[in-house]
Amino acid sequence: MPHWDSDTEKITVDYHNIINKKKRPVCVWLTGKKGLVVQSLLAVILFFMGMIVGYLVRKNVHETYIRSNVTCAEQVTSDYNITVGQQLRRTIELENIREDLKLITREARVPGTTTGQLFGEKIRKWLNNSGLDNVYMAPYNVLVSRSGSESSSPVPNSVQLLNNNGTSVFKCNTDNHPPRQLVMNPYSFFSKNGTASGDLVYANYGRSRDFKQLDALNISVANKIVIMRYGKVKGVDYLKVLMATRYKAKGVLLYADPADYNGPGVKNVAKTWWLPGNAIQRGFVGRWNRGDPLTPFVPAIDGMYRINSSDDLYATKIPVQPISYDDAQLLLRELTEGAPPEGWKGGLNISYNLSTLQNNQTVQMDVFSKSVQQKINNVIGVIKGTVESDRYVIIGSHYDSLTFGAVDPGTGLSIFLELAKKFGKLLKEGKWRPRRSIIFAAWDATEFGNIGSEEWLEENKKELSTRTVAYINLEAAVTGNWTFSADANPLLRQVLYEATKVVLCPDPGHHDLSVYEMWRQRLPIVPGSKDQSKPKVNDFTKVGDQLAFNYFIGIPAMDIHYTYKRQLYNLENYPVYGTALDDFMYVSTYIDSNFTVHKALAEVAAEVLLRLSSSNKLPMDCSDYNKPFEVALDYTERYYGERIRGANLTLDYLKKAVGNFQESTKRFQKVFSTLKEPDNFTEIIQMNNQLLQLPQAFIAPYSRTPPTGTTPLSSFSILPRYNPSRDAYYFVNLQYAIDFGPKDIDTWKNKVNFTLSVTTAAIQSAANILSDGVLNRT
């Protein structure tokens, strides 16, 4: 027992006693020489068990997140592998693409409807079965447009010609030719509903110059119905309606004239790819094409502020309805006055008079369209990268359509799905995993103003803008079989050139050529010239999901496709665009009967995706920006120099900034081209990051008033755009400020000065990014 001495406050414990009293018998197997042997054996067994457990854990992690049979050192130096590219391209099956297109085009996929929701679930299932690392839905509650067939009235929108006593002379066919339940009746998305009636005026393409010409001829459209043909105002038909509204028209009729959608001299369109007279093109005419109209610049998720839908800030101010060119001809031939100016005659067998229906007749249009809030779903699939998993390469296609949508978006979506399957197969086999993460994005509600992609960008803007390498868009991917074509940010030209060089041309007579060689021959940089050293990469020529990536948040984007011979046909779009005739039969009969063009384009897309996601050095050349900036500067001097100097402003600082940027790109590219892994691993990562930051410099801040729904999306960026009428690049934001600025001279001068400053600062900022301006400024 312990003993306590109270005087000294010491406690004495008899440990010997305690040990003797508490002594327990010891296992004989662990004592003596025999115990030593047993203990040694146990230690060895535990050691090897630890080794086996460690191996199994490491093997599982290795197979899940890292390519099999690759060391850590190889992971750091992983690069684009030609063999992987060849294997991947060989696995792409045209029969899969064909069958997927058949499934896609069985019926319309209208955003927000039960059919649209079910199709989104089907895509999620397809991507899950492909073997991607993660697949999920990104839902949003947005405003969508509905036709008369789903409104309170059971009948479709109507257009009719009335006698002066109100009786009907004839009624336009605004119903569907295929079964009604499969596609939506023809209507203009986000048109104002209501009835409008009055005399008829023909306004050509509905451009500003067309209305000014009518004014000059003393022909008023006030309180009348205006009929206009689609085209010339690419992808933004709301501008036509806006012009008619400004001139106080009561309603608008739109039609596709055979001069713009059929070939020269084409008379018989039966059983051809040309547009028949009874087909009706649907289209977007709303005043807001930046995603959901009710949640501008914020994502349409729970808890966000929404504009009151009764404010009607998104729909047109007057009713709009599309009709066929057969019906347009019946209406236009009733006009009796005003000879058409040069260039106003289309392809119909009529005089194209401008105004005044005979015998006091009137046109009456009844539009039952309405806007409703509905849930839409993007479907997102992910392949996680290894070395740089926080860097993303995104490939996308929209899946919604208000008709069968075979060409647009079916050709792109079927290729998209095949790519997901084949990349997923590589993962399952453990043969490959990308250096950077790959995101497959299937967008919903693109037809209503790119809603799905815009909302996803708004929700993830900060993350995506700093981490995304590039966006690849597949939409109307196969509109013809003549040649490959691409609209792209200049930073992506090199990867397009590299990818197309390794894919064989699908043209039966040119299998000995690559896609690149045929592209170079048929679409050279300068048509008709001897300079055919490289094929032409276009500026963005059509509205689509790619624009917000490129111009709104500064992610370099591309839209790739196979096209028809535009120089020969001079078409506004493929003939049956937006009609109920855009079905599987149309694609498989008139465009790509054996689907070899689809396969070739899928191979090109696969190569682009592989190179952007797996190359240690990003396959980009920043000096490809130089020519557009140089031409845009010359354009500004030539067409606006005198006006700018007349306002006591100068272009000197802009010229200096462009010069600095060009020098910076040359120096940067000279160093970048010499770097190799593993010796320059750190430098490569650093310079890759500079290339990713570069497009961000070109995003312009808002001016003193926030942008509206009709502000050109390209005005968010100071990147030069291509003007085909003058065959030159120009600064959109600067031209917009000069040509459409305030009428007051002082206010106009301030606006132009501010825009010049924004443009100059952005270009100098880009130069600084490439030259580490903060560190190296003298």
Side-chain angles (χ1 to χ4, degrees):
M1 291 290 291
H3 173 70
W4 175 46
D5 187 338
S6 60
D7 294 331
T8 61
E9 295 189 349
K10 287 184 179 180
I11 298 175
T12 305
V13 180
D14 188 350
Y15 290 102
H16 179 74
N17 244 353
I18 292 174
I19 292 170
N20 288 335
K21 288 181 181 178
K22 304 285 183 179
K23 198 167 185 179
R24 298 276 194 278
V26 179
C27 178
V28 294
W29 292 103
L30 297 177
T31 61
K33 291 181 179 180
K34 188 183 291 185
L36 206 59
V37 172
V38 171
Q39 290 178 48
S40 300
L41 284 173
L42 284 172
V44 170
I45 291 169
L46 288 172
F47 173 77
F48 279 105
M49 284 181 65
M51 291 286 288
I52 291 168
V53 171
Y55 169 76
L56 291 174
V57 170
R58 182 180 181 277
K59 182 175 182 290
N60 182 59
V61 171
H62 195 72
E63 289 179 344
T64 304
Y65 296 103
I66 306 177
R67 295 179 305 167
S68 60
N69 303 320
V70 180
T71 67
C72 291
E74 287 172 324
Q75 282 297 313
V76 173
T77 59
S78 64
D79 200 359
Y80 164 75
N81 189 308
I82 295 175
T83 303
V84 172
Q86 291 170 339
Q87 292 172 349
L88 178 64
R89 296 199 309 276
R90 280 197 293 266
T91 65
I92 291 172
E93 300 174 71
L94 56 84
E95 195 58 40
N96 282 352
I97 299 173
R98 181 202 296 270
E99 290 306 309
D100 282 346
L101 185 60
K102 269 187 185 177
L103 290 172
I104 290 166
T105 55
R106 284 179 176 173
E107 58 186 338
R109 289 90 57 198
V110 182
T113 63
T114 301
T115 306
Q117 298 277 356
L118 290 174
F119 195 80
E121 289 289 346
K122 188 178 293 185
I123 288 184
R124 177 164 72 168
K125 184 178 178 181
W126 280 340
L127 293 185
N128 264 324
N129 292 341
S130 295
L132 307 184
D133 292 327
N134 185 28
V135 178
Y136 63 90
M137 294 286 215
Y140 302 97
N141 188 24
V142 304
L143 197 73
V144 297
S145 180
R146 291 286 178 261
S147 74
S149 59
E150 286 195 359
S151 70
S152 56
S153 171
V155 296
N157 300 339
S158 69
V159 177
Q160 54 187 327
L161 182 68
L162 304 177
N163 274 326
N164 57 4
N165 61 6
T167 59
S168 179
V169 178
F170 80 87
K171 190 174 183 179
C172 295
N173 184 3
T174 53
D175 205 341
N176 279 316
H177 307 299
R180 183 180 302 177
Q181 68 269 23
L182 296 182
V183 299
M184 298 288 279
N185 281 320
Y187 73 112
S188 294
F189 318 148
F190 290 111
S191 164
K192 177 182 176 64
N193 61 19
T195 297
S197 63
D199 203 352
L200 188 68
V201 175
Y202 170 57
N204 199 20
Y205 293 106
R207 298 165 295 188
S208 175
R209 71 179 99 163
D210 295 329
F211 281 95
K212 287 178 180 177
Q213 198 151 15
L214 287 173
D215 249 4
L217 295 169
N218 292 318
I219 296 174
S220 172
V221 304
N223 298 313
K224 298 174 184 176
I225 306 298
V226 177
I227 183 168
M228 303 179 277
R229 44 179 170 161
Y230 284 115
K232 303 305 180 188
V233 184
K234 285 189 178 295
V236 282
D237 292 320
Y238 65 84
L239 290 178
K240 298 173 183 283
V241 181
L242 184 64
M243 292 307 304
T245 305
R246 287 178 180 173
Y247 282 83
K248 304 189 184 309
K250 291 178 73 175
V252 167
L253 299 176
L254 296 167
Y255 79 99
D257 195 282
D260 304 306
Y261 287 87
N262 289 341
V266 172
K267 300 297 181 185
N268 183 14
V269 300
K271 295 183 179 180
T272 70
W273 90 310
W274 302 116
L275 181 70
N278 60 0
I280 304 174
Q281 182 182 137
R282 299 143 177 84
F284 177 85
V285 295
R287 291 183 292 133
W288 181 269
N289 62 353
R290 303 283 183 277
D292 176 39
L294 301 184
T295 56
F297 303 110
V298 294
I301 57 179
D302 291 344
M304 295 294 105
Y305 169 77
R306 281 173 166 78
I307 296 171
N308 189 338
S309 59
S310 64
D311 291 346
D312 208 22
L313 298 175
Y314 45 85
T316 61
K317 296 290 187 183
I318 55 178
V320 184
Q321 175 63 25
I323 60 174
S324 68
Y325 69 72
D326 275 354
D327 286 336
Q329 178 169 272
L330 293 174
L331 292 174
L332 288 168
R333 75 181 182 185
E334 299 294 316
L335 296 176
T336 60
E337 296 180 6
E342 185 179 352
W344 282 48
K345 281 192 174 184
L348 299 173
N349 187 27
I350 54 174
S351 62
Y352 282 90
N353 287 334
L354 303 179
S355 66
T356 314
L357 290 166
Q358 61 181 341
N359 301 324
N360 294 318
Q361 294 172 325
T362 58
V363 171
Q364 178 173 308
M365 51 191 299
D366 295 285
V367 176
F368 305 107
S369 302
K370 66 175 183 178
S371 301
V372 294
Q373 286 191 56
Q374 295 286 347
K375 179 184 176 183
I376 64 165
N377 288 299
N378 296 330
V379 189
I380 309 297
V382 175
I383 296 176
K384 295 176 182 177
T386 54
V387 181
E388 300 178 74
S389 61
D390 62 340
R391 294 288 181 260
Y392 313 148
V393 181
I394 305 173
I395 184 166
S397 176
H398 78 89
Y399 66 84
D400 62 299
S401 177
L402 278 80
T403 68
F404 298 110
V407 176
D408 180 10
T411 55
L413 184 59
S414 57
I415 291 171
F416 169 90
L417 293 172
E418 176 67 1
L419 290 174
K421 291 173 192 173
K422 299 314 179 187
F423 275 90
K425 184 182 178 184
L426 278 180
L427 290 180
K428 289 176 183 177
E429 293 172 348
K431 295 179 179 178
W432 166 89
R433 184 169 283 275
R435 181 187 184 101
R436 304 175 187 91
S437 297
I438 297 174
I439 296 173
F440 291 86
W443 310 120
D444 198 359
T446 290
E447 297 289 355
F448 291 148
N450 307 312
I451 292 178
S453 58
E454 291 263 1
E455 296 310 307
W456 192 69
L457 286 175
E458 288 171 358
E459 184 178 15
N460 303 287
K461 181 179 178 181
K462 297 299 183 183
E463 178 183 355
L464 294 172
S465 63
T466 56
R467 297 185 179 188
T468 306
V469 173
Y471 173 70
I472 304 157
N473 195 54
L474 292 167
E475 192 170 332
V478 182
T479 60
N481 50 35
W482 188 61
T483 187
F484 175 83
S485 182
D487 303 347
N489 185 293
L491 205 55
L492 299 178
R493 287 179 186 172
Q494 295 307 313
V495 72
L496 282 167
Y497 292 155
E498 292 169 10
T500 51
K501 285 177 181 178
V502 299
V503 179
L504 290 177
C505 174
D507 192 315
H510 298 91
H511 285 326
D512 57 325
L513 299 179
S514 66
V515 169
Y516 176 88
E517 285 297 323
M518 186 56 75
W519 178 24
R520 184 176 64 84
Q521 290 180 25
R522 291 183 169 174
L523 288 178
I525 290 178
V526 184
S529 76
K530 295 181 180 179
D531 180 17
Q532 294 189 351
S533 57
K534 291 181 180 179
K536 183 176 183 179
V537 178
N538 300 314
D539 189 17
F540 292 103
T541 57
K542 59 182 181 180
V543 173
D545 297 302
Q546 70 279 3
L547 293 188
F549 282 88
N550 199 71
Y551 294 121
F552 184 45
I553 63 173
I555 294 172
M558 67 171 72
D559 182 87
I560 57 176
H561 42 274
Y562 250 81
T563 186
Y564 47 85
K565 193 173 184 179
R566 292 178 181 269
Q567 300 97 311
L568 176 63
Y569 298 133
N570 194 31
L571 302 176
E572 283 292 325
N573 210 324
Y574 66 94
V576 301
Y577 168 75
T579 74
L581 300 177
D582 186 1
D583 58 11
F584 177 79
M585 187 279 293
Y586 184 82
V587 173
S588 60
T589 304
Y590 304 124
I591 296 180
D592 189 20
S593 58
N594 54 17
F595 281 74
T596 53
V597 172
H598 284 74
K599 184 178 187 298
L601 188 63
E603 291 185 32
V604 171
E607 275 294 328
V608 170
L609 206 50
L610 269 178
R611 291 167 187 266
L612 287 170
S613 65
S614 298
S615 299
N616 55 20
K617 289 198 301 184
L618 290 176
M620 298 175 174
D621 187 339
C622 59
S623 65
D624 284 332
Y625 278 121
N626 288 347
K627 190 67 175 179
F629 275 105
E630 181 181 320
V631 173
L633 184 61
D634 179 69
Y635 181 102
T636 304
E637 176 63 58
R638 185 184 311 171
Y639 294 105
Y640 299 107
E642 284 189 20
R643 288 182 67 183
I644 288 171
R645 283 185 288 274
N648 203 27
L649 300 174
T650 179
L651 290 173
D652 290 349
Y653 298 104
L654 180 61
K655 292 177 182 177
K656 183 178 179 182
V658 170
N660 291 341
F661 177 67
Q662 290 177 325
E663 285 301 315
S664 293
T665 61
K666 292 173 185 175
R667 287 196 301 269
F668 180 94
Q669 210 59 43
K670 185 177 180 179
V671 174
F672 192 55
S673 63
T674 64
L675 301 182
K676 294 181 180 179
E677 281 194 333
D679 297 340
N680 304 116
F681 174 76
T682 304
E683 292 90 339
I684 287 172
I685 293 292
Q686 178 183 332
M687 297 189 84
N688 279 347
N689 288 341
Q690 287 173 282
L691 286 171
L692 292 185
Q693 292 168 348
L694 186 58
Q696 302 294 310
F698 302 131
I699 301 302
Y702 299 157
S703 61
R704 292 167 192 179
T705 55
T708 66
T710 56
T711 304
L713 213 159
S714 53
S715 68
F716 286 80
S717 168
I718 62 92
L719 276 177
R721 294 298 308 276
Y722 182 71
N723 182 343
S725 64
R726 289 175 172 171
D727 189 27
Y729 286 90
Y730 67 106
F731 295 114
V732 176
N733 58 336
L734 193 53
Q735 177 173 315
Y736 197 77
I738 294 172
D739 288 342
F740 304 104
K743 294 182 179 179
D744 176 75
I745 187 62
D746 289 332
T747 310
W748 176 88
K749 178 180 174 179
N750 288 337
K751 175 71 173 177
V752 173
N753 195 9
F754 177 82
T755 308
L756 264 174
S757 300
V758 166
T759 306
T760 302
I763 297 171
Q764 185 57 54
S765 174
N768 292 343
I769 286 172
L770 296 177
S771 59
D772 293 325
V774 172
L775 300 178
N776 298 321
R777 184 171 298 174
T778 57

